Amino acid sequence: MSEKKQDWDMEAIVLEAVNRLPGGFAIFGPNHEILMSNDQNARDFAVTNQALREGCSWLEATRRGVDAVIPDLTPEQSIEIAEGIVSALGRGEHVELKTAHGTIMQVVEIPLSFGGFVGVGADVTALRERERELRKARKEAEAANEAKSAFLANISHEIRTPLNGILGMAQLMAASDLTPEQRDQLDTILDSGKTLMAILNDVLDLSKIEAGKFDISPIDNDLGHLLRRLEKLWSPRAMEKGLTLKLDIDPESATFLRFDPVRVRQCVSNLVSNAIKFTDKGGVTVSASASPLEDGAYDVNIRVADTGIGMDGSTAAKLFAPFTQADASTSRRFGGTGLGLSISRKLAQLMGGDVTVESEAGKGSVFTLTFQAAAGRRADEAPANADVDKTGGVRWAKGLSALLVDDHALNRKVARLFLEPLGISIVEAENGEEAIRWLQTQPFDLVLLDMHMPVMDGSETLRHIREHGDLAIRNVPVIALTADSLGPNNGRYRELGADGYVGKPIDHRELIIEIGRVLEDRYGQVPAPRAAFPDLRRAGS
């Protein structure tokens, strides 16, 4: 049985097919004369197609199409856009063109063997609208995040101000005659205050780290002393649970190193706190060692082992995720933010190390903190600008004058009590405007400038100082004092014009060292003291 031959009208079939395509379609000759066009292309680029049928060049037809969509262009702008479209299509690139009825078509031209071209367009209007909505949502999210960051910075500043008073006064008491029992109690106050700072920083630090705005601030410090202080801090809590807390520092290891003691204390406190929390019997052992590296640095290893509940592999795998604890029952039983380990790992990584865990359910856990540190220089090895006399005073400080600018009376009181016993004459101002008036009234060796103040804040005050017409005012050394804990850091304050930076709560020793460093950097040596000023406490007229 023979098959019946079917006669097909291929031209009609092809025309119907191209008209049913979801986008534009056109075949052009070598000079872009239109050989075939579907209905979509005819609607989208009616002006351009009409110009081509009238014999216009490809460039002129494209220019007319541009004018039809964007009528307010100058002739120069119109031809420039048209030349860009023609050039891009000639290179085989995809070009997005807006049509007269508002859609966005992504167009490409492909050369054909006879010298002509096939043009294909796809409607991407919905896709671009979705992208626009996503950009808008992202901007809104970024604005909300900035508002959150500003709020957190505000809260941080407000909490740190009274904490600065607590820790500042405790440091001053530490310099007085105390019984061993009182000194031990005061050490606990100091360490507890620093631990409170770590708790405050947990949420703030996570935001700052993930925003890439975190600043590690290494200073010369004794790791062994830091760990012994932490042992004293956590021993009462361990004893309450009937646990032992043992500290084992390798006697062969160097412990006076250059590292960030605040961050190391924060990491170790998190690990020890967790070890005690999840241990009901037995104890916790903290082991520390520092191994020299080839470049003169040290690889520090702090191991916190407990005999607690332990965990299985799946639990350990998710342990360092933010806001995550071992499981829901652990969260209900033990509490906590679930941020400590995540932040500790991120901090360790910023310091060139890591936090890892080895654990088995029912058999305890071992957390290991590693970080890199440089060789430290002890106080008795410090340069002349930190010279100390037999009575414990700093010799270079006697007779120097400082302008102390801070809107909080408690902060000014703490700084004054830190510096006046050293022989530094202090004049106070509550804001930047008062500070500028004082600088125009008499010379100062140094300005201690809070960065968050009403009327005129620290950044604006720095700008006025560095742009002042009086050379002596313009060149006065400035140390930024701030409780800001999110975005700003030492580098940023230097960009603003500060010579140094001390964070709040202020550490007495850190403040003195920074003053000496700034004065020596600015003058090559600590300047000779100026004549004593009148005891004027506040900026008046």
Side-chain angles (χ1 to χ4, degrees):
M1 182 176 178
S2 61
E3 294 182 2
K4 184 179 179 180
K5 185 176 179 182
Q6 179 76 45
D7 293 328
W8 300 98
D9 185 348
M10 292 306 298
E11 182 178 350
I13 290 172
V14 170
L15 184 59
E16 181 184 1
V18 297
N19 277 326
R20 290 178 180 268
L21 291 173
F25 178 87
I27 297 176
F28 302 98
N31 295 316
H32 272 88
E33 60 271 27
I34 298 176
L35 304 180
M36 177 182 284
S37 172
N38 70 353
D39 293 342
Q40 183 70 48
N41 177 68
R43 287 193 299 271
D44 289 337
F45 304 109
V47 173
T48 301
N49 290 343
Q50 180 62 32
L52 288 172
R53 289 191 176 95
E54 292 174 359
C56 292
S57 68
W58 177 222
L59 177 60
E60 173 60 19
T62 303
R63 185 194 66 77
R64 291 190 185 184
V66 170
D67 285 341
V69 176
I70 316 175
D72 297 332
L73 294 174
T74 65
E76 293 79 11
Q77 292 171 327
S78 177
I79 194 66
E80 182 180 357
I81 293 173
E83 286 175 345
I85 293 171
V86 168
S87 176
L89 289 174
R91 294 192 300 270
E93 297 176 5
H94 289 77
V95 178
E96 291 190 3
L97 303 175
K98 189 172 183 180
T99 69
H101 46 274
T103 59
I104 300 173
M105 299 297 294
Q106 188 179 79
V107 178
V108 65
E109 278 194 354
I110 303 168
L112 297 175
S113 59
F114 74 97
F117 306 89
V118 58
V120 181
D123 190 340
V124 295
T125 309
L127 177 62
R128 297 298 172 253
E129 177 62 22
R130 176 60 177 159
E131 290 176 347
R132 188 191 68 79
E133 291 174 355
L134 289 174
R135 285 194 297 271
K136 180 182 178 182
R138 180 176 179 178
K139 287 182 179 179
E140 290 174 350
E142 288 174 347
N145 189 57
E146 288 177 4
K148 179 202 71 174
S149 296
F151 172 76
L152 291 175
N154 222 13
I155 289 295
S156 171
H157 187 273
E158 293 304 315
I159 294 177
R160 285 168 187 259
T161 296
L163 194 54
N164 184 47
I166 294 170
L167 292 178
M169 294 303 176
Q171 289 178 72
L172 290 168
M173 288 179 63
S176 60
D177 292 330
L178 301 172
T179 66
E181 182 179 3
Q182 289 173 328
R183 186 161 300 280
D184 187 65
Q185 292 168 348
L186 188 60
D187 286 345
T188 301
I189 292 174
L190 286 167
D191 285 331
S192 296
K194 292 172 183 177
T195 301
L196 179 59
M197 282 296 301
I199 294 172
L200 169 65
N201 287 337
D202 266 359
V203 175
L204 304 178
D205 283 350
L206 187 67
S207 298
K208 191 163 74 169
I209 290 170
E210 293 183 346
K213 297 179 179 179
F214 196 87
D215 188 34
I216 295 294
S217 304
I219 62 172
D220 296 338
N221 204 277
D222 189 334
L223 178 64
H225 181 63
L226 182 150
L227 293 176
R228 285 188 287 272
R229 295 281 290 272
L230 285 177
E231 180 189 21
K232 284 186 178 181
L233 175 65
W234 289 107
S235 286
R237 176 65 180 132
M239 292 176 63
E240 286 177 6
K241 295 189 67 175
L243 305 175
T244 61
L245 178 58
K246 180 182 177 183
L247 176 61
D248 182 13
I249 301 175
D250 183 358
E252 301 299 321
S253 296
T255 60
F256 201 88
L257 305 167
R258 187 169 184 80
F259 60 94
D260 189 329
V262 175
R263 301 309 170 190
V264 171
R265 182 187 298 110
Q266 183 176 353
C267 291
V268 177
S269 286
N270 276 329
L271 298 183
V272 174
S273 173
N274 282 345
I276 295 173
K277 181 191 299 184
F278 297 112
T279 302
D280 291 326
K281 60 181 179 179
V284 177
T285 301
V286 181
S287 307
S289 63
S291 306
L293 302 174
E294 292 182 357
D295 58 0
Y298 287 84
D299 185 25
V300 181
N301 185 296
I302 300 176
R303 184 173 179 270
V304 180
D306 66 62
T307 58
I309 60 176
M311 68 195 85
D312 56 27
S314 62
T315 300
K318 64 182 181 180
L319 200 59
F320 294 97
F323 304 103
T324 300
Q325 290 189 322
D327 55 39
S329 62
T330 298
S331 181
R332 287 193 298 269
R333 179 183 173 190
F334 296 101
T337 63
L339 286 174
L341 288 176
S342 173
I343 291 173
S344 294
R345 167 169 276 185
K346 292 177 186 293
L347 290 175
Q349 291 170 345
L350 288 171
M351 295 187 291
D354 200 359
V355 176
T356 57
V357 60
E358 298 175 12
S359 186
E360 185 176 346
K363 297 186 177 180
S365 304
V366 178
F367 285 84
T368 302
L369 164 68
T370 60
F371 63 92
Q372 290 193 8
R377 184 168 57 183
R378 294 185 180 276
D380 54 8
E381 301 169 343
N385 70 314
D387 195 15
V388 179
D389 64 25
K390 293 181 181 179
T391 65
V394 182
R395 283 199 290 266
W396 56 257
K398 289 186 172 71
L400 294 179
S401 61
L403 177 61
L404 174 60
V405 190
D406 197 306
D407 60 311
H408 284 274
L410 179 59
N411 289 338
R412 298 197 302 271
K413 182 176 182 180
V414 169
R416 175 184 287 278
L417 291 173
F418 278 173
L419 299 178
E420 280 189 332
L422 303 177
I424 298 178
S425 174
I426 302 294
V427 173
E428 297 181 15
E430 289 188 355
N431 55 62
E433 285 188 358
E434 290 186 5
I436 297 300
R437 290 202 296 271
W438 269 116
L439 289 168
Q440 294 171 335
T441 302
Q442 62 186 53
F444 291 91
D445 296 304
L446 177 72
V447 176
L448 300 173
L449 181 65
D450 181 40
M451 300 305 292
H452 295 274
M453 298 178 293
V455 184
M456 183 188 290
D457 66 11
S459 300
E460 189 177 357
T461 305
L462 262 173
R463 182 176 63 81
H464 278 279
I465 291 174
R466 296 308 179 218
E467 295 176 358
H468 203 280
D470 188 322
L471 184 63
I473 295 176
R474 191 162 68 243
N475 290 333
V476 66
V478 178
I479 293 178
L481 306 177
T482 181
D484 195 347
S485 66
L486 287 177
N489 54 41
N490 198 351
R492 182 186 172 209
Y493 292 130
R494 287 186 181 278
E495 291 175 4
L496 291 172
D499 299 88
Y501 159 83
V502 175
K504 295 177 183 176
I506 296 171
D507 180 83
H508 191 182
R509 178 176 177 273
E510 182 183 350
L511 176 62
I512 301 305
I513 290 175
E514 186 71 348
I515 291 175
R517 183 195 66 76
V518 164
L519 292 178
E520 189 170 42
D521 284 353
R522 174 56 67 94
Y523 300 112
Q525 61 181 6
V526 178
R530 301 179 187 273
F533 297 144
D535 186 18
L536 302 174
R537 302 303 191 195
R538 303 282 284 277
S541 58

